[in-house]
Amino acid sequence: MDRRQFLFTLAATVPALTLGGKVFAAPTSSPRFLLVFLRGGYDANNLLVPYASDFYYESRPSIALAKPTDGDPKSVRALDAHWGLTPAVAQTMGPLWDKKQLAFIPFAGTDDLSRSHFETQDNIEAGEPSDARQYGSGFMGRLSGVLRGVPPIAFTDALPLSFRGTGDVPNISLKGDGKAVFDDRQSKILASMYEGTPLQAAATEGLQLRQQVAQDLQTEMVAASRGAVNARGFAQQGQRMATLMKDRFRLGFVDVGGWDTHVNQGGADGQLANNLDNLSQGLSAFADELGPTEWNNTVVVVVSEFGRTFRENGNKGTDHGHGTTYWVLGGKVRGGRVAGEQVAINAGSLLQNRDYPVLNNYRDVLGGLMKRMYGLSDADLGTVFPRAKPRDLQLV
């Protein structure tokens, strides 16, 4: 392992190691932003349910969710006269909605009509106009560059496209058991390789911090197993991410798989409901772990590459679609509402007679949100989302 490889390994496993070997804490005044990417294209129509549309029930004879009904725990919770929330997330997301800390944006997505998981995921993460097709950098990386000094981290096995193009961004997998990558003996050997060189301080600090982070994660896992919070799946990850982002980081990215529900998707119960339950518990755990003060300085956005077909298929599932629904959460989010441009839901409003149209382009929506959050200049916003037309939905 040469020096460059070693530094890359440290950067990938030690969250607070920056170029030059300086360990830093996040500036307390900077807003915290976490992007949650649901890979696979989740069925937003059974999260934010258009219960006032008869066409919804005609289109989904097996998987539609029941209209709001008192005493029926499997019916949706009415959010307004048109939209309802799936019972799978009612206990975790309902309180945030009541506190106006959660908003939804339906008819959201890209102008990519390929309905290809990989192409559309890359399109979103790059943040470029669809005709650019340049994947040398990602919008989170460019955002990190224009903010300067706002520490980023990716909770992924490998650095995602979203964070490419801005130097060494740390990434740490949350799938393991929290043990350190290097034991004490290995750490001493690696540190000795750089003894007496300009990289000695960086190597020593990085290895020590990696051990500290690993111990923090292990301690959290043990505490979670006592039943204080749900420790399964993404719920556990939510706590662990909050532990790291609370003091050290302000830009985060995490992806969650398992949303490609072509067969036996289920309605109030089943695989989609289970996924949404785990996701919502993770988001709730993230908010709880941050605590009220830090949650007030945090915005979480949940996106997916596309939605699903409005009509269920012959296998009681849904196929690749287009428009989807984004979530926006945070202590000071202006929530308790369904935001963005919308249309009545009927056969005539579907795109190509199959799925939601995209009326709220993700680059415009996120650009408007980030401009409000960070006070970005037009030039900086143009760097993050070239040629975007920021839409201010007044979400923060």
Side-chain angles (χ1 to χ4, degrees), residues 55 310-311 346-355:
F55 181 60
F310 195 78
R311 299 178 180 89
N346 51 50
S349 66
L350 294 184
L351 174 71
Q352 299 176 351
N353 195 34
R354 58 176 285 157
D355 34 46

Side-chain angles (χ1 to χ4, degrees), residues 152-166:
I153 187 171
F155 299 99
T156 53
D157 291 342
L159 189 68
L161 170 57
S162 297
F163 266 130
R164 287 184 195 166
T166 188

Side-chain angles (χ1 to χ4, degrees), residues 37-77:
F37 201 124
L38 308 184
R39 296 195 188 274
Y42 88 109
D43 181 33
N45 306 313
N46 269 16
L47 167 80
L48 185 66
V49 179
Y51 73 87
S53 169
D54 292 337
F55 181 60
Y56 168 77
Y57 292 97
E58 295 168 7
S59 301
R60 299 185 164 216
S62 301
I63 64 173
L65 300 184
K67 294 183 179 184
T69 305
D70 290 341
D72 182 0
K74 293 189 177 182
S75 68
V76 302
R77 172 188 168 170

Side-chain angles (χ1 to χ4, degrees), residues 118-137:
F118 306 111
E119 183 174 331
T120 315
Q121 287 175 18
D122 288 349
N123 186 304
I124 289 179
E125 291 192 71
E128 299 273 2
S130 59
D131 59 0
R133 303 296 181 189
Q134 297 177 5
Y135 303 120
S137 67

